[in-house]
Amino acid sequence: QVQLVESGGGLVQAGGSLRLSCAASGRTFTNNHMGWWRQAPGKEREIVAAISRAGRSTYLADSVKGRFTISRDNAKNTMYLQMNSLKPEDTAVYYCAAGSIAAQVMGFPLSDSTYWGQGTQVTVSS
């Protein structure tokens, strides 16, 4: 019902910046709280950031506070993750998510479903 496509991943050097985008389609974009998760090889998937339906509330994991910014443009059905001052430990596959899992992070009532994008690789070299 909701299709999510990430883009913007790649290889950058430590201290560099990258902007990830998540384009949504299939249903009303504004009906979903959304967020970004990441998973490194051999590690559990972890929350990075989340944003409420209208973009008025955000959440950032402690590990990325001050470096990453989450935003959304509902007119374009797109969510963004601006990543600055990247560190090698930021290396992971980054996933866009919409729905229940993001609502939980934001402290809002759960939605019926969680939708995931296919992921985009971010590699930060030292």
Side-chain angles (χ1 to χ4, degrees):
Q1 299 81 15
V2 175
Q3 292 81 48
L4 306 172
V5 179
E6 301 98 330
S7 62
L11 174 64
V12 298
Q13 65 181 29
S17 297
L18 209 59
R19 186 181 70 190
L20 305 184
S21 299
C22 174
S25 63
R27 73 182 306 270
T28 303
F29 179 74
T30 55
N31 283 351
N32 291 281
H33 305 294
M34 300 185 70
W36 293 94
W37 276 253
R38 67 186 182 187
Q39 187 167 23
K43 303 291 186 180
E44 293 187 352
R45 189 172 298 185
E46 64 179 3
I47 178 67
V48 177
I51 189 166
S52 62
R53 290 167 177 162
R56 298 188 182 101
S57 299
T58 60
Y59 167 87
L60 291 172
D62 289 343
S63 60
V64 304
K65 284 182 179 177
R67 300 188 298 120
F68 291 10
T69 302
I70 187 170
S71 62
R72 65 193 295 166
D73 186 341
N74 289 347
K76 297 182 178 179
N77 292 336
T78 302
M79 177 181 64
Y80 305 95
L81 184 68
Q82 178 66 48
M83 305 185 295
N84 298 326
S85 301
L86 283 162
K87 304 174 180 179
E89 51 262 46
D90 295 318
T91 295
V93 177
Y94 283 70
Y95 297 91
C96 173
S100 183
I101 192 169
Q104 184 174 16
V105 168
M106 298 301 302
F108 292 112
L110 299 181
S111 302
D112 290 341
S113 302
T114 295
Y115 303 93
W116 294 95
Q118 82 289 346
T120 185
Q121 177 70 48
V122 172
T123 302
V124 184
S125 61
S126 59

